[in-house]
Amino acid sequence: MLISVAIPKPIRNTFTYEALPGVHINLGSRVSVPFGNQTLIGIVVKKEANNERTLKRIRRINSVLDSRGDMPIDILNLCLWAADYYHHPIGDVFTNALPALLRAQETKTNLFVEKKLRLTSLGFELNQSTKKLSPKKKMLFRLIQEEEKTKEALFKSGIKPYLIRIFLNEGWAYWQTTRKKAEVKTSKLNISYGDLILNSDQKKVVAELSDRDENRPFLLQGITGSGKTEIYLRAIEPHLNLGRQALILVPEIGLTPQMVSRFEDRFCTRVAIINSSLTDKQRAQAWIDAKEGQSGIILGTRSAIFTPLKNLGIIIVDEEHDLSFKQQEGFRYSARDLAIYRSHIERIPIILGSATPSLESLFNAKRGRYKKLSLNSRPTESHPETYRVIDTSQFATREGLTQFALRSIQKTLNSGKQALVFVNQRGFCPILLCEECKQIATCDRCQVKLTYHQTTQVLSCHHCGRLKSYPAPCDNCGSSRWIHLGVGTERLEKFLSESFPKEEILRIDRDSMKGKNSMRMAIDRIKEDKPRILIGTQILAKGHHFPNITLVIIVNVDAGFYSADFRALERLGQTILQVGGRAGRGTHAGEVLIQTQFGNQETLQKLIKTGYQKFAEHLLNERADAFLPPVRYEVAIHSESPEQNLAIDFLQNIKRNIPKSKDLSLAGPLPAIIEKKNNRFRQKLILISKEREPLHKKLSEIERFIAKSKLPRGLKWSIDVDPLNMV
């Protein structure tokens, strides 16, 4: 038998190998194969009969790995579809889908075998002389006399490593290696509602979700604080009662602890977590447990969409609009869109939830592809937040805050409540201006400004990671005297500490939340009302429930009004409402202050006066007039090279040599919004069409053309289907 194997490399082809005689192989089996002078673990994607004429030129596989780590057929097909839809190398798709340890030789991991301490015949003779043993040795003897134990089990029982070494050295015990058995799930579902009662909106949504004849994705649009998580819990419950599993996707690791707590409290069961904070072993074990049905609820970030589940019943995508669901480098897939495809293939319900749905989802609901459900009210004891625009062109600011904002913070503190100041810029300041020659400090690898981090005394490029010690000499004149322009989280923290010296201030951004469990501890402190003033970036903008926050101040939203990205206004509206939604979630009314120089801007006024739905409809009309997504479909072909002309010429060559089509239009080559990054120049060619089919057909032609072309050294290219970020 011959098998086609996908190799865990960024390669678009599969490779044919001869199977071992008499060894059973399935589609999705992991096999060890020779590849060049390496030995790699690949995935079997096809089987076919031998062709004796070509057999001599085909290499034989080395071995077939433990089947417990194989890829189930549904995930195999999901990967094959994703590779085809996103026009991405199949090997790299499997690299993203399969945990690292399951792509390693089994001799390097103990996932499927375990060592247990077992008594030797000499050890069993100790039974006659246990009186001569110390109490600790007696304890170890009795533990392994009853049943051989793993090292972890012995440690949990209080056995120290030196005791184990004594038993081994004396010849009383030895390590026996055995194959791990798949555990059998026996736990029953226990549900705890407390005193929670659904409101009328929630009851209506739950009833509509139970409609068995409805097979479209559900788009759940609920204002912040309206109880979307409670809807998720109610939707999952019947599936868990029937022994099925639920997959919940969240955009950020920071949302995981809060969601886990809600689900574990409700169902009195363990929730499996899959995200990038896990070790390789934890990630692989969670993957295996989900595949074997050990985990009823699996909660994870983007890559969790590839988790195999023995009996998947429902998928939920929380904050479906979030950009984090789309991978921006390498395999540029959308976890939300793959979740929709997976639910369609497996014929299970999917809920896309958000207070501010993406325009793509709203457009699909408008066309009848999704069923839209709405939650328009908060619990009776809470009140909708109110929005107020502060025109910074009319009022002076100190370190980014107007005097009115400072008075509002003081008023909030006097009432015993908490205030949140949001600025989407970490560090001390985003711009350093040379005092002598007025040159701005920029990254020598990228065409971007360096950010000053006062805490660590470094200048940092937030795109390539380049660091410089501060103060660095000006590249233009050599001066080390800099003017700090703009406001970041560190600068706000320093200013507010000086303005409110008696108050505890908590800063939450990527720099301050690096430690293990730091986000969980920060959330716990906020809920205990210990920090009265919070400063945060996007990490705090979504999903969190802090009932004592009554004031939110949004600093410097102006960048969204003059960005080159046509999606900037959509994201600005989503950010304002998501951040603003942290206010007034308890029994006291919330207020949101928006500081901007564009206070009279039409779309901003529409957002705060008429709500997100009207705002989104306005943007959809603008997109339709401009023939932009989601009214049209879009693909970006990216090229990058150390030489600018090579990146441009590569795309120009594609444009010249691929036949034109009336079904689609091409724009470019165009420079990326950040054209130079990490010493490489980046260009893009945009393909736009009213239908998907012409786009994919054209992409296949382009792939064949590139495969036949000789590419310049150092040039890299990639395809981004349904791009969301042109940076």
Side-chain angles (χ1 to χ4, degrees):
M1 184 175 66
L2 300 182
I3 56 174
S4 295
V5 178
I7 301 297
K9 296 275 187 181
I11 300 172
R12 295 178 181 270
N13 301 321
T14 58
F15 295 84
T16 301
Y17 289 88
E18 182 190 358
L20 294 171
V23 177
H24 184 68
I25 294 180
N26 293 316
L27 295 180
S29 289
R30 296 174 305 136
V31 290
S32 173
V33 298
F35 187 77
N37 58 1
Q38 298 176 283
T39 298
L40 300 175
I41 304 300
I43 301 292
V44 177
V45 298
K46 187 179 178 182
K47 298 192 295 182
E48 57 187 309
N50 276 342
N51 183 336
E52 296 294 338
R53 289 174 297 176
T54 60
L55 196 56
K56 292 180 181 179
R57 290 177 283 162
I58 295 175
R59 301 173 81 177
R60 179 177 286 186
I61 68 171
N62 298 324
S63 62
V64 180
L65 277 62
D66 194 304
S67 61
R68 286 181 64 190
D70 288 352
M71 183 170 281
I73 194 68
D74 57 334
I75 302 299
L76 177 74
N77 289 334
L78 179 67
C79 290
L80 292 172
W81 183 87
D84 182 60
Y85 180 80
Y86 290 105
H87 295 264
H88 193 76
I90 182 66
D92 201 36
V93 174
F94 284 112
T95 300
N96 279 263
L98 203 62
L101 279 190
L102 295 176
R103 290 182 270 115
Q105 299 291 336
E106 288 189 340
T107 54
K108 298 179 181 179
T109 175
N110 60 353
L111 281 173
F112 304 109
V113 296
E114 59 186 356
K115 290 183 178 180
K116 291 187 176 181
L117 194 65
R118 187 174 186 178
L119 289 173
T120 62
S121 56
L122 183 61
F124 275 109
E125 293 177 8
L126 286 173
N127 192 34
Q128 308 299 322
S129 58
T130 50
K131 292 180 181 178
K132 299 177 183 178
L133 298 176
S134 68
K136 291 181 179 179
K137 290 178 183 176
K138 286 180 183 179
M139 181 181 176
L140 176 54
F141 172 77
R142 291 191 181 107
L143 280 171
I144 58 178
Q145 183 186 36
E146 297 167 4
E147 181 187 9
E148 54 267 23
K149 296 282 194 301
T150 63
K151 187 184 293 184
E152 291 77 12
L154 291 171
F155 289 167
K156 285 181 180 179
S157 299
I159 300 298
K160 302 296 182 183
Y162 79 90
L163 277 175
I164 298 174
R165 285 196 297 271
I166 290 173
F167 270 60
L168 293 171
N169 294 336
E170 293 291 340
W172 297 339
Y174 69 100
W175 290 114
Q176 183 181 46
T177 301
T178 58
R179 188 174 186 271
K180 281 185 183 178
K181 295 180 180 178
E183 297 180 15
V184 179
K185 184 180 177 183
T186 56
S187 59
K188 292 184 179 180
L189 187 66
N190 295 309
I191 302 173
S192 173
Y193 292 107
D195 56 359
L196 190 131
I197 300 174
L198 297 180
N199 62 32
S200 58
D201 277 357
Q202 289 174 318
K203 289 177 181 177
K204 183 179 178 182
V205 167
V206 169
E208 292 190 81
L209 287 171
S210 62
D211 183 357
R212 295 183 179 179
D213 294 329
E214 185 58 67
N215 56 11
R216 293 175 292 174
F218 293 100
L219 176 62
L220 176 61
Q221 182 177 358
I223 63 170
T224 52
S226 60
K228 290 185 291 298
T229 304
E230 181 61 33
I231 297 298
Y232 302 157
L233 291 162
R234 301 284 175 138
I236 286 171
E237 182 183 324
H239 296 282
L240 297 182
N241 279 325
L242 292 171
R244 298 178 188 142
Q245 296 163 289
L247 175 61
I248 302 127
L249 299 181
V250 293
E252 300 281 356
I253 293 175
L255 293 177
T256 306
Q258 186 167 288
M259 292 283 281
V260 168
S261 177
R262 287 286 303 274
F263 280 82
E264 288 183 342
D265 290 348
R266 170 61 57 85
F267 297 117
C268 304
T269 187
R270 186 178 67 85
V271 174
I273 299 172
I274 294 182
N275 60 39
S276 60
S277 69
L278 303 181
T279 65
D280 285 347
K281 187 171 182 179
Q282 289 172 331
R283 180 71 175 267
Q285 194 60 58
W287 193 92
I288 293 164
D289 288 346
K291 177 189 174 187
E292 295 178 346
Q294 289 301 303
S295 309
I297 301 173
I298 295 86
L299 192 150
T301 47
R302 182 175 57 224
S303 62
I305 187 55
F306 295 108
T307 305
L309 290 102
K310 186 176 182 180
N311 191 8
L312 181 57
I314 187 171
I315 300 175
I316 292 170
V317 183
D318 189 36
E319 308 291 359
E320 67 85 28
H321 69 278
D322 199 281
L323 190 62
S324 300
F325 284 123
K326 181 71 187 283
Q327 185 155 293
Q328 302 299 333
E329 298 290 340
F331 176 29
R332 300 170 186 254
Y333 69 95
S334 165
R336 179 198 64 194
D337 295 349
L338 284 182
I340 294 167
Y341 178 77
R342 186 173 179 181
S343 72
H344 169 70
I345 294 301
E346 300 196 31
R347 298 182 179 180
I348 58 171
I350 181 170
I351 301 173
L352 310 175
S354 176
T356 55
S358 64
L359 295 193
E360 286 81 7
S361 293
L362 288 173
F363 185 66
N364 280 323
K366 186 177 179 180
R367 297 175 71 183
R369 292 182 175 179
Y370 299 171
K371 182 170 184 178
K372 189 165 178 287
L373 309 174
S374 300
L375 294 172
N376 296 316
S377 60
R378 286 183 175 179
T380 52
E381 68 273 11
S382 64
H383 309 278
E385 69 277 14
T386 58
Y387 289 83
R388 178 170 179 172
V389 174
I390 302 176
D391 192 342
T392 52
S393 66
Q394 303 295 321
F395 299 97
T397 62
R398 286 181 61 202
E399 306 294 35
L401 291 172
T402 60
Q403 194 60 40
F404 182 83
L406 291 169
R407 288 198 301 268
S408 297
I409 293 174
Q410 186 62 67
K411 183 179 176 183
T412 300
L413 298 176
N414 292 342
S415 68
K417 301 302 176 184
Q418 293 169 301
L420 166 62
V421 182
F422 173 85
V423 56
N424 201 26
Q425 175 66 57
R426 59 192 173 97
F428 188 81
C429 66
I431 301 174
L432 285 179
L433 185 69
C434 177
E435 195 172 307
E436 297 294 330
C437 68
K438 304 303 183 273
Q439 183 88 3
I440 293 175
T442 57
C443 175
D444 54 6
R445 295 178 180 175
C446 310
Q447 292 175 329
V448 294
K449 305 173 187 69
L450 290 172
T451 299
Y452 170 44
H453 292 256
Q454 191 178 67
T455 305
T456 53
Q457 286 295 295
V458 297
L459 301 179
S460 170
C461 174
H462 289 177
H463 294 274
C464 73
R466 181 73 179 271
L467 297 176
K468 286 184 177 181
S469 296
Y470 179 86
C474 173
D475 291 336
N476 187 50
C477 69
S479 171
S480 295
R481 295 191 301 176
W482 297 98
I483 300 170
H484 300 153
L485 300 178
V487 175
T489 50
E490 288 182 11
R491 191 168 192 170
L492 268 175
E493 181 182 27
K494 181 181 179 183
F495 174 62
L496 289 172
S497 296
E498 294 167 352
S499 302
F500 303 96
K502 295 182 179 180
E503 298 295 341
E504 181 180 346
I505 297 173
L506 178 62
R507 172 169 60 91
I508 296 183
D509 57 25
R510 198 183 304 171
D511 298 322
S512 63
M513 296 290 114
K514 287 181 178 179
K516 187 177 181 181
N517 296 323
S518 56
M519 190 66 188
R520 183 192 290 269
M521 291 186 288
I523 290 172
D524 289 342
R525 289 186 64 77
I526 295 171
K527 289 182 176 178
E528 292 169 1
D529 295 341
K530 289 184 178 178
R532 305 286 302 286
I533 300 175
L534 312 176
I535 302 168
T537 57
Q538 287 278 5
I539 299 176
L540 277 181
K542 46 207 168 193
H544 299 293
H545 179 73
F546 304 130
N548 211 33
I549 292 179
T550 58
L551 174 67
V552 170
I553 301 171
I554 303 176
V555 178
N556 188 19
V557 299
D558 296 347
F561 293 115
Y562 50 79
S563 171
D565 188 348
F566 68 85
R567 290 185 174 86
L569 278 177
E570 176 189 359
R571 292 181 190 140
L572 176 62
Q574 290 166 343
T575 298
I576 288 173
L577 293 190
Q578 291 285 342
V579 177
R582 301 315 106 202
R585 296 172 75 96
T587 56
H588 293 80
E591 183 181 24
V592 182
L593 306 180
I594 305 170
Q595 294 193 161
T596 175
Q597 294 193 15
F598 300 91
N600 294 321
Q601 212 270 352
E602 180 186 3
T603 49
L604 176 62
Q605 288 296 322
K606 191 176 288 290
L607 176 72
I608 62 178
K609 289 180 179 178
T610 63
Y612 186 76
Q613 187 63 36
K614 296 292 184 183
F615 167 81
E617 289 173 3
H618 174 76
L619 292 183
L620 277 172
N621 290 334
E622 288 187 343
R623 300 273 186 93
D625 292 341
F627 301 104
L628 290 171
V631 181
R632 294 289 188 272
Y633 299 109
E634 191 175 76
V635 170
I637 302 176
H638 298 271
S639 67
E640 59 174 78
S641 171
E643 298 181 43
Q644 186 181 37
N645 63 308
L646 293 181
I648 297 172
D649 291 346
F650 169 77
L651 297 178
Q652 287 283 19
N653 201 30
I654 291 174
K655 195 172 180 180
R656 281 194 303 267
N657 287 276
I658 297 300
K660 292 182 174 57
S661 170
K662 63 179 181 179
D663 297 319
L664 58 84
S665 57
L666 280 74
L670 302 167
I673 292 176
I674 299 175
E675 184 180 3
K676 185 184 178 186
K677 182 177 177 181
N678 208 7
N679 283 331
R680 298 180 67 84
F681 291 91
R682 308 181 314 147
Q683 296 282 322
K684 60 187 182 235
L685 182 66
I686 309 296
L687 286 70
I688 303 174
S689 175
K690 190 176 181 180
E691 304 293 337
R692 289 192 189 275
E693 187 177 349
L695 269 180
H696 287 285
K697 185 178 178 182
K698 186 62 66 177
L699 284 174
S700 297
E701 291 179 25
I702 290 171
E703 284 182 288
R704 288 192 294 270
F705 172 75
I706 294 173
K708 295 176 183 178
S709 304
K710 185 177 180 180
L711 301 183
R713 188 174 180 180
L715 185 133
K716 294 182 180 179
W717 64 277
S718 62
I719 293 173
D720 190 358
V721 178
D722 306 323
L724 294 180
N725 194 338
M726 293 296 187
V727 172

